[in-house]
């Protein structure tokens, strides 16, 4: 396959194989690789009728030593299991999840981008309800799929600053709804706000659904802010627990920062020297300013990534690419 690795964006590239496994009569079948990219699905399947589905996202990196590293896949397996339980789906066992990821990698080794290109091999594990049903309720049959695809940076221009607009007219997730799970409905409900922001060349900062006072999430990513010697990130039952954010918090403590997870009022942005979105796709996306059009206020953080976020970004990337010691055992070397 002839791919210009350095020009890849966060877009789908067709792999040769995907990996699938079905759940029927209370049992998971063994995962298998197939070239068939299409679902043979009943029109009344619960994933279509009632949104019974969950997904994940993780990456494999070609290191400086030429070895391939899969980053924290067990944490993705655990998070998908929690999402499955939240939507009354059969959790994918960690062993099955791992087998499927490894099989998808082995069957698509030519899609692992070379070191130094900025591209990675992204895995999209997907879990869907396949039971035909019209009455409201969960299904009892499921399909687990792993879709590999080489990707470039989520935000074009790699490590640069993005402008965010405060959103108050669309709620991404309710406080006790599905915000803590990685399910498609959370993203679909945000489209009205995110697409409006994208048309303005910006991204969207969501506030809490109850009071619209506290920072919730940055579009499809967690929010982090630097206030003095403190690493701040929101605490909410409506926020997806980010594996990237968890990793960054560990690295922040390592460099002497106080890590705090709590409710963060929007106005506190004025006291922060740096701010960013973080997640598997974007890693860290520094924010140059947050525009609150309704209040007529702009919170600015500079047009270049700040020193703390830059240090954390490179510290995490160095581990993922084998340039620094992986003292926490985050990477599985293939």
């Amino acid at each position: 396959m002839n791919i210009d690795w350095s020009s890849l964006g966060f877009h789908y590239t067709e792999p040769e194989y995907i990996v699938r496994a079905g759940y029927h009569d209370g049992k998971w079948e063994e995962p298998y690789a197939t070239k068939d990219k299409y679902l043979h699905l009943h029109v009344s399947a619960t994933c279509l009728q009632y949104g019974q589905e969950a997904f994940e996202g993780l990456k494999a990196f070609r290191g400086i030593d030429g070895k391939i590293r899969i980053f924290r896949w067990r944490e993705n397996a655990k998070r998908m299991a929690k999402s499955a339980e939240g939507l009354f789906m059969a959790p994918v066992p960690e062993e099955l999840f791992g087998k499927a990821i490894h099989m998808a990698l082995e069957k698509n080794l030519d899609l692992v981008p070379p070191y130094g290109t900025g591209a990675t091999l992204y895995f999209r594990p997907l879990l869907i309800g396949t039971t035909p049903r019209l009455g409201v309720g969960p299904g009892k049959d499921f399909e687990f799929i792993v879709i590999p695809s080489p990707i470039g940076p989520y935000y074009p221009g790699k490590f640069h600053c993005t402008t965010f607009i405060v959103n108050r007219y669309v709620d991404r997730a309710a406080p006790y709804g599905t915000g803590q799970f990685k399910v498609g409905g959370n993203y679909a409900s945000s489209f009205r706000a995110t697409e409006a922001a994208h048309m303005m060349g910006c991204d969207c900062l969501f506030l809490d659904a109850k009071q619209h006072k506290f920072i919730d999430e940055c579009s499809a990513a967690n929010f982090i802010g630097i206030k003095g010697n403190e690493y701040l990130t929101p605490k909410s039952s409506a926020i997806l627990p980010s594996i990237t954010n968890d990793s960054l918090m560990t690295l922040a403590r390592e460099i002497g920062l106080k890590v705090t997870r709590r409710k963060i009022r929007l106005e506190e942005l004025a006291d922060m020297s740096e701010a960013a979105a973080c997640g598997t796709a974007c890693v860290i996306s520094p924010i140059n300013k947050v525009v609150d059009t309704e209040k007529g206020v702009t919170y600015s953080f500079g047009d270049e990534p700040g020193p703390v976020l830059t240090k954390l970004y490179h510290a995490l990337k160095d581990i993922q690419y084998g340039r620094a010691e992986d003292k926490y055992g985050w990477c599985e070397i293939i």
Side-chain angles (χ1 to χ4, degrees):
M1 187 177 293
N2 188 20
I3 298 176
D4 183 357
W5 302 109
S6 298
S7 298
L8 279 178
F10 194 84
H11 306 295
Y12 176 72
T13 297
E14 185 85 358
E16 186 172 4
Y17 291 92
I18 63 171
V19 177
R20 306 168 87 144
Y23 180 90
H24 307 287
D25 299 322
K27 296 180 182 179
W28 280 104
E29 66 181 8
E30 283 295 307
Y32 63 95
T34 175
K35 294 184 177 182
D36 183 6
K37 314 300 192 309
Y38 291 88
L39 292 168
H40 305 279
L41 197 62
H42 195 282
V43 293
S44 293
T46 52
C47 65
L48 300 177
Q49 299 299 319
Y50 300 113
Q52 195 182 27
E53 68 85 41
F55 69 98
E56 276 297 323
L58 63 149
K59 292 177 178 178
F61 302 80
R62 178 86 66 181
I64 192 171
D65 54 4
K67 297 177 181 178
I68 298 171
R69 290 166 170 81
I70 306 176
F71 188 71
R72 302 193 75 177
W73 68 262
R74 288 179 176 84
E75 294 304 313
N76 292 96
K78 292 173 185 176
R79 190 169 66 179
M80 174 167 265
K82 289 181 180 178
S83 296
E85 290 167 358
L87 272 71
F88 276 76
M89 306 174 77
V92 178
E94 186 173 308
E95 182 182 0
L96 191 158
F97 188 101
K99 280 184 180 179
I101 294 295
H102 287 85
M103 188 179 294
L105 173 62
E106 291 164 6
K107 288 290 187 178
N108 297 278
L109 280 175
D110 60 333
L111 292 183
V112 182
Y115 173 76
T117 60
T120 58
L121 182 63
Y122 181 82
F123 300 98
R124 171 55 59 83
L126 175 67
L127 178 62
I128 59 173
T130 58
T131 303
R133 182 165 189 153
L134 285 181
V136 177
K140 59 181 181 180
D141 306 287
F142 306 97
E143 186 164 6
F144 175 58
I145 306 163
V146 174
I147 309 161
S149 177
I151 59 163
Y154 186 78
Y155 292 104
K158 300 183 181 178
F159 193 56
H160 79 300
C161 292
T162 303
T163 297
F164 280 75
I165 295 178
V166 175
N167 164 73
R168 288 189 179 85
Y169 65 91
V170 173
D171 293 326
R172 174 190 156 272
Y176 300 104
T178 59
Q180 62 186 299
F181 309 126
K182 196 168 180 67
V183 298
N186 296 340
Y187 297 82
S189 65
S190 72
F191 287 167
R192 283 188 298 138
T194 56
E195 289 306 298
H198 293 164
M199 289 178 66
M200 301 172 65
C202 306
D203 219 316
C204 187
L205 180 66
F206 287 97
L207 303 180
D208 72 290
K210 186 175 182 180
Q211 296 179 284
H212 291 171
K213 292 182 179 180
F214 302 99
I215 295 172
D216 201 358
E217 285 210 321
C218 290
S219 187
N222 276 193
F223 171 86
I224 53 177
I226 305 300
K227 182 179 179 181
N229 196 47
E230 192 172 17
Y231 178 112
L232 283 170
T233 194
K235 182 178 181 179
S236 167
S237 60
I239 293 175
L240 180 72
S242 166
I243 296 165
T244 300
N245 198 0
D246 179 74
S247 305
L248 291 170
M249 284 189 278
T250 298
L251 296 175
R253 294 186 186 98
E254 192 175 278
I255 64 173
L257 294 177
K258 176 185 177 183
V259 174
T260 304
R261 176 176 278 171
R262 61 169 173 80
K263 288 186 175 182
I264 303 173
R265 288 185 174 272
L266 179 64
E267 294 77 14
E268 289 187 66
L269 290 173
D271 301 320
M272 297 181 190
S273 57
E274 301 177 49
C278 72
T280 297
C282 68
V283 187
I284 292 179
S285 180
I287 298 172
N288 63 341
K289 59 184 175 181
V290 175
V291 181
D292 186 346
T293 54
E294 186 175 309
K295 301 292 184 180
V297 177
T298 296
Y299 303 96
S300 299
F301 306 98
D303 292 330
E304 297 295 328
V308 176
L309 292 174
T310 299
K311 188 172 185 177
L312 290 173
Y313 174 83
H314 288 298
L316 182 57
K317 299 296 285 183
D318 284 348
I319 292 172
Q320 293 171 332
Y321 282 105
R323 297 188 295 254
E325 180 188 359
D326 180 17
K327 62 178 70 174
Y328 303 106
W330 286 340
C331 298
E332 179 178 350
I333 300 177
I334 305 301

